Structures are given as C-alpha cells and as structure tokens.
C-alpha cells in the first residue's frame, strides 16, 4: 500500500479544498465534554463519580451516535437516551423531566469549553494559505456554531456544513455532495480529514473525496485500509 505522503504527492497539485470533521478531530470533544458534565452535575447535585461516569458515557455516546448516523434512532433518542443508559449502569433512574434538564444543561455548557487538539491552530494557519478549508459535521447545528465561534476556529473556514442543513448525515453521500456544492468544488479536488472510519473516511471515500483518517489514540499503522495520521501537525509535512 502506498504511504500517505506518496498518495498526497500524487494528488497535491490538483487539491484545492480540504474538509475537516469538527468533534474528535479539531475540537477535543472528550476533554470539553468532561468539563461540561462536571459543571452540570455540580450545579444540579448529581452524586456520581465523574471519572467512572465518563468511562461508561464515552462508549454509550459513541454507540448512540453510530445508530443516529445510520438513522436508527432520532435526535431526541440520542440526546436523552445516552444519559438514561449511562445512569442505568449505576442503578440510577431519573424521571424524564430530570433527564431533559440535565441533557439541555449539558448542551448549553458544552460550547463553553473549547480545548482543541494539539497543533490544530498552527496547522490551520499553514493550510489556509494554500487551500480553501471547510467543515462537515453531524453535530447539532446551533451547538456547532457556538463551538466554532468560541474556540477561534471560525475564521479559518470558508464554509461550514452540518447534517441539519444538508438533510443527511455522514456517511450518506448526500451531505458530502451538499458540502462540495456549497464550497464550489469537486470531490476529486478535495480531501476529507476525520476521526470516524465510517462517517468521515469511508463516507468521504464513497463520495469520491480523498480521505485521511485522524486517529490520535490508536496505532498509526492500523490495518483499516485507509491512511492514518496521529497528530494534526503531520498535515504540514503532507501538503
């Protein structure tokens, strides 16, 4: 299999646009989510060990998102079901109105914390002088807008596409086609960088974009069949 650098050398002359996923790729979701939950639980008097809660929640949230992206559950089931399922692991049952209060408070506080992955800003500065940059995200529209504004990411990007405006979620080709049209570019001239093998990488590949898998917590020599980077700064040596 050709190395990532070799693949990008072959295409670099024709690449004009680079698309990024937001959560877990630029915006450090796990770190910011932990801070939001800490604030919510303190404010609402929820007596649970935060580290243990997050250990369960991270896996449950990922499962709910996977089902949401496959259109197996609704947005409401995602927002509230992931909390209900996590509390059940502790033998804790909360009334629906309490779950709704906690879920809404979490969403409200989430964009207040805006830690980015190492190298994000430096890499975006580097790429912005050479390419048009864009976001494609499955996240909730109003929340993603706040994250982009509060974290200082917004000025780097020409367009931002979310699943609500596109009427489809990654990995559905429709959202990539929508984003490409909005950006005024073509799949063959575009790269997609994201953490999810299914939503970002396979989804982009299926839509004709050149995918790069961002996998900071896994071995870069994974056998996924797609090229992988572990640190965002690696993009500066590729492009």
């Amino acid at each position: 299999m050709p190395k990532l650098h070799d693949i990008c050398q072959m295409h670099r002359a024709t690449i004009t646009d680079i698309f990024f996923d937001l959560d877990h790729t630029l915006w450090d979701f796990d770190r910011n989510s932990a801070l939001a939950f800490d604030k919510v639980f303190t404010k609402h008097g929820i007596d649970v060990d935060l580290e243990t809660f997050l250990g369960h929640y991270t896996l449950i949230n990922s499962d709910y998102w996977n089902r949401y992206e496959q259109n197996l559950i609704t947005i409401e089931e995602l927002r509230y079901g992931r909390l209900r399922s996590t509390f059940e692991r502790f033998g804790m049952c909360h009334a629906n109105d309490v779950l709704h209060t906690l879920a809404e408070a979490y969403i409200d506080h989430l964009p207040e914390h805006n830690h980015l992955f190492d190298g994000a800003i430096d890499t975006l500065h580097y790429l912005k002088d050479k390419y048009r940059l864009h976001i494609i995200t499955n996240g909730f529209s109003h929340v993603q807008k706040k994250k982009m504004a509060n974290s200082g990411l917004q000025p780097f990007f020409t367009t931002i596409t979310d699943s609500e405006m596109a009427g489809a979620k990654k990995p559905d080709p429709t959202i990539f086609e929508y984003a490409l049209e909005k950006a005024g570019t073509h799949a063959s001239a575009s790269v997609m960088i994201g953490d999810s093998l299914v939503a970002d990488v396979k989804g982009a590949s299926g839509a004709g974009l050149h995918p790069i898998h961002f996998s900071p917590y896994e071995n870069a020599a994974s056998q996924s069949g797609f090229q992988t980077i572990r640190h965002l700064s690696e993009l500066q040596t590729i492009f």
Side-chain angles (χ1 to χ4, degrees):
M1 179 182 295
K3 293 184 181 297
L4 177 58
H5 179 72
D6 297 332
I7 290 175
C8 289
Q9 283 282 60
M10 289 189 289
H11 297 298
R12 186 164 58 180
T14 62
I15 296 299
T16 58
D17 296 79
I18 299 178
F19 293 81
F20 283 87
D21 175 47
L22 181 58
D23 294 335
H24 302 286
T25 300
L26 295 171
W27 200 82
D28 192 340
F29 182 90
D30 290 339
R31 187 176 180 186
N32 296 321
S33 177
L35 293 168
F37 271 124
D38 187 35
K39 180 175 287 189
V40 170
F41 289 169
T42 299
K43 180 178 179 180
H44 293 275
I46 302 299
D47 185 17
V48 63
D49 180 75
L50 182 62
E51 185 175 352
T52 305
F53 176 89
L54 292 172
H56 291 296
Y57 177 81
T58 298
L59 296 175
I60 290 171
N61 184 49
S62 178
D63 176 63
Y64 268 80
W65 269 103
N66 287 336
R67 286 189 280 159
Y68 176 64
E69 289 168 350
Q70 296 175 60
N71 297 312
L72 298 176
I73 60 173
T74 67
I75 192 170
E76 294 298 307
E77 290 171 321
L78 165 65
R79 293 179 74 162
Y80 307 117
R82 59 189 179 181
L83 276 181
R84 178 182 291 105
S85 295
T86 306
F87 282 125
E88 286 175 351
R89 293 287 180 91
F90 294 85
M92 301 171 67
C93 294
H94 294 290
N96 286 337
D97 60 336
V98 175
L99 287 173
H100 279 240
T101 297
L102 295 176
E104 293 302 322
Y106 170 71
I107 292 296
D108 288 342
H109 287 300
L110 191 57
E112 295 176 357
H113 308 282
N114 289 280
H115 294 284
L116 304 177
F117 279 96
D118 289 342
I121 295 297
D122 287 345
T123 298
L124 292 174
H125 272 296
Y126 172 84
L127 294 174
K128 193 175 188 297
D129 292 334
K130 298 184 175 187
Y131 306 93
R132 293 190 298 266
L133 306 182
H134 314 274
I135 291 286
I136 306 179
T137 174
N138 282 352
F140 308 137
S141 182
H142 70 286
V143 179
Q144 302 303 71
K145 288 177 181 177
K146 289 180 181 178
K147 291 177 184 176
M148 294 287 294
N150 294 347
S151 64
L153 289 173
Q154 192 164 331
F156 291 100
F157 295 94
T158 303
T159 68
I160 300 171
T161 295
D162 64 61
S163 54
E164 291 182 43
M165 66 175 66
K169 300 181 286 291
K170 296 177 292 183
D172 189 324
T174 302
I175 190 172
F176 294 101
E177 293 163 1
Y178 180 98
L180 290 167
E181 182 175 357
K182 187 175 182 179
T185 190
H186 302 283
S188 60
S190 303
V191 170
M192 176 71 197
I193 301 163
D195 70 290
S196 171
L197 269 175
V198 175
D200 299 315
V201 178
K202 292 181 180 179
S205 179
L209 290 80
H210 308 292
I212 296 177
H213 185 207
F214 175 58
S215 183
Y217 307 120
E218 299 174 8
N219 190 324
S222 68
Q223 301 302 309
S224 65
F226 293 94
Q227 298 300 329
T228 304
I229 60 171
R230 296 193 67 181
H231 196 284
L232 292 171
S233 63
E234 292 179 56
L235 296 173
Q236 298 184 45
T237 66
I238 293 168
F239 294 104

